[in-house]
Amino acid sequence: MTSANNWQGARKLINVQRAIRRGPLYVAEHRLRNMSKWIVSMIGFGIGNPVMFLLSVGIGVGALVDGNLGPNGVDGVGYLTFLAPALLATAAIQGAMDETMFPTLAGFVWGKDFFAINATQISGRSIAIGVVLAAGVRCSLSVLLYELILALFGAVSLASLPALTLSSILAGMAFGAVMLMGASFVKQDDGIFAVVNRFVITPMFMFSGTYYPLAVLPIYLQWIGWISPMWHATEIGRNLSYGHQVEPWLLWIHYAYLGLMLVVGVLIASWQFTRRLAK
Amino acid sequence: MMIVAKNLTKKYGDFVAVDGIDFQVKRGESFGLLGPNGAGKSTTMRMIAATSQRTSGDLEILGLDPNKKGPEIRAHLGVVPQTDNPDTELKVWENLYIYGRYFGLGRKFLKAKIEELLDFAQLQEKRNAKVNDLSGGMKRRLTIARGLVNEPEILMLDEPTTGLDPQARHILWDRLFRLKEQGVTLVITTHYMDEAEQLCDRLVVMDKGKIMAEGSPAELIKKYSSKEVLEVRFGSTKNAEVAPQIEKLGDRVENLPDRILIYSEDGEAVLKQIHNLGLEPQTSLVRRSSLEDVFLRLTGRQLIE
């Protein structure tokens, strides 16, 4: 029985303005608790995926490439070093996607968790920001595990890891914010996420200078890389990890592009979350 | 006053879901919104819960305008939606904990609060169970316990016992009655008239977005029905034939396909008069008039999908 003696009432109990300000953190705390239920799978995937990938593509394809072009034949470095920043960005983007696409549909349609959250003082905007924050944590976990494996394979220098971590997480959160924005408009999962996976995500990984420099592609295909956060993050990562030549103004464009994706994604998602929850 | 609504209106395009209603709810009162499907109860609840903005009219919750101060109002409410929506990935106690965190409540406070709420909802044994392993009644009690974690000024319950078995309903009524005794203001929507009679001090009957009647259950029965109702059955083919002979016997007579209802101050006396007319019903029943009689009189017997 809720004891009448202890009952203070919400007016005394709650610091409303502080609770409103911290809303996104509470949402992130909730999401992280959900994630903790899957932590073993996350770590298993976070380690297994890079190990398999580096063994097959990094070392297998790398041996072929280095054999043909010499040990420093791709962009002045070995193939594995060239590939590593792109793989990190991929891991970050994948992690952010997992935490923005399906949880958003679950929040609005399957479990309607977002409506329960919105019944408290938490606004749609706080929910959107909180989900992105939690996706950032998930990104970081994926990136750190990937870096551990990359370092063990000798694919990256330890000194470059802090900068690489930041650029990869920025890419993941930027993409996560845009995915959150897209998912917030989805009424039901009638295969739209599978379509996005096949026709947006996969081409993005293939045409963003991941496995070869973007300049190798014919000009009419290079635009896919230009609009892809993968390419911008990979260019930053390659510059930071082994000094890949990028004009300073272009480097700023890479950062600005990712930053813009993050801000616009969160703004539109916040607007749509608020609208959808108010119906 | 906890809630004041004046000419409260909500439109979705051309459709008027709530059509200029007025009501007030006092502190510590248990207030019911009754009505058939589509009457506008849930829309009204969402406006009171400060999650849906009104189209026009005035609404004040705890002295604040929900269109402007939605989050401030929601911080002081407990909401139990029509469909249970606890987080199915989390354990029972974690659901209470996480919800408490949303109000910015500290871990130490929540630790004690969770014990209190698990006792209240009779879920101590299920504290570590996943939500999907709970029965319907347990899920409902969890959702109600969750709505109490912030010690709300107003607890809003949208059809709190729909789909529950009689035992679970009675347990819930008992819990809600205790909250009312503690001075928590309750706002309840329900389809069940016995529930409204049990729980509500005062209620409004809504239909097609408008308020048809307002008062305590006893007042409404007095105003819109008689003290007693006599139900007689002559067989489905004979009811229509007999009805004209007995329609003057009560205050009001309702001729239904399966039985005839005669509303009167003294049901036994009317039954005697029927016998005196030489009519022999197959079955007869004298009962007290209920809120259900009022509800059906005000909102009609036609099925509303």
Side-chain angles (χ1 to χ4, degrees), chain A residues 23-261:
Chain A
L25 296 178
Y26 301 140
V27 176
E29 183 182 350
H30 184 173
R31 291 292 319 137
L32 292 178
R33 190 171 276 270
N34 287 122
M35 275 185 229
S36 72
K37 307 290 173 191
W38 309 97
I39 192 70
V40 176
S41 326
M42 275 183 206
I43 292 176
F45 184 79
I47 292 174
N49 187 41
V51 167
M52 303 293 274
F53 209 84
L54 287 173
L55 285 176
S56 60
V57 177
I59 296 180
V61 178
L64 187 68
V65 173
D66 291 344
N68 280 317
L69 300 174
N72 296 319
V74 190
D75 206 20
V77 291
Y79 188 63
L80 205 51
T81 308
F82 170 80
L83 195 60
L87 295 182
L88 275 178
T90 310
I93 284 174
Q94 197 73 51
M97 249 173 58
D98 288 350
E99 291 308 323
T100 48
M101 273 173 36
F102 289 106
T104 301
L105 206 58
F108 280 118
V109 182
W110 298 327
K112 298 192 183 294
D113 299 350
F114 290 166
F115 292 91
I117 298 169
N118 187 231
T120 72
Q121 79 287 328
I122 306 285
S123 62
R125 178 171 154 270
S126 292
I127 298 175
I129 296 172
V131 172
V132 171
L133 286 177
V137 174
R138 171 70 193 277
C139 260
S140 311
L141 178 72
S142 303
V143 167
L144 291 173
L145 288 171
Y146 221 114
E147 284 179 340
L148 176 75
I149 305 301
L150 284 172
L152 290 175
F153 274 77
V156 286
S157 69
L158 291 179
S160 67
L161 285 181
L164 270 177
T165 307
L166 291 178
S167 69
S168 309
I169 292 172
L170 178 62
M173 290 185 72
F175 193 71
V178 171
M179 290 310 290
L180 182 80
M181 177 189 85
S184 69
F185 287 90
V186 176
K187 295 274 188 294
Q188 57 183 13
D189 177 26
D190 41 13
I192 182 72
F193 288 156
V195 171
V196 169
N197 249 320
R198 288 187 177 89
F199 296 105
V200 178
I201 311 295
T202 307
M204 187 177 82
F205 287 151
M206 304 303 290
F207 294 95
S208 297
T210 314
Y211 303 103
Y212 42 80
L214 190 63
V216 169
L217 283 177
I219 192 78
Y220 59 85
L221 283 178
Q222 286 189 24
W223 66 270
I224 303 177
W226 299 338
I227 61 168
S228 152
M230 270 290 296
W231 178 65
H232 294 278
T234 303
E235 285 292 289
I236 296 170
R238 284 177 180 150
N239 175 269
L240 292 171
S241 70
Y242 65 82
H244 162 65
Q245 286 298 308
V246 182
E247 294 291 334
W249 64 269
L250 189 54
L251 198 60
W252 282 114
I253 284 188
H254 292 319
Y255 280 115
Y257 187 82
L258 294 176
L260 197 68
M261 277 184 83

Side-chain angles (χ1 to χ4, degrees), chain B residues 167-181:
Chain B
Q167 285 84 354
R169 290 180 75 203
H170 281 268
I171 290 173
L172 267 180
W173 287 352
D174 168 60
R175 305 287 125 168
L176 295 175
F177 195 76
R178 289 190 205 191
L179 286 173
K180 190 171 127 44
E181 281 183 328

Side-chain angles (χ1 to χ4, degrees), chain B residues 52-163:
Chain B
S52 176
Q53 300 221 331
R54 65 185 181 276
T55 310
S56 62
D58 293 318
L59 182 61
E60 254 185 31
I61 318 291
L62 304 166
L64 300 170
D65 179 346
N67 280 13
K68 292 176 186 156
K69 296 280 181 189
E72 285 82 352
I73 293 169
R74 295 200 301 270
H76 299 122
L77 303 181
V79 176
V80 179
Q82 211 173 93
T83 313
D84 292 318
N85 56 2
D87 188 323
T88 50
E89 284 184 355
L90 301 182
K91 293 174 182 171
V92 166
W93 76 267
E94 286 178 308
N95 263 285
L96 299 174
Y97 176 80
I98 281 296
Y99 216 68
R101 293 291 295 147
Y102 277 120
F103 292 103
L105 299 172
R107 290 176 174 80
K108 198 176 154 198
F109 170 85
L110 281 172
K111 206 175 162 215
K113 189 57 158 179
I114 288 168
E115 294 311 312
E116 205 178 292
L117 290 173
L118 288 173
D119 284 340
F120 171 77
Q122 296 182 322
L123 287 170
Q124 274 291 5
E125 284 176 19
K126 294 284 178 184
R127 60 184 300 131
N128 287 317
K130 286 270 184 78
V131 170
N132 281 339
D133 296 333
L134 301 182
S135 69
M138 289 172 179
K139 265 188 210 168
R140 203 68 188 136
R141 296 206 298 275
L142 173 62
T143 309
I144 292 176
R146 191 185 67 177
L148 291 170
V149 76
N150 60 329
E151 302 190 353
E153 308 281 327
I154 305 172
L155 180 65
M156 307 189 47
L157 302 127
D158 201 351
E159 296 185 18
T161 63
T162 298

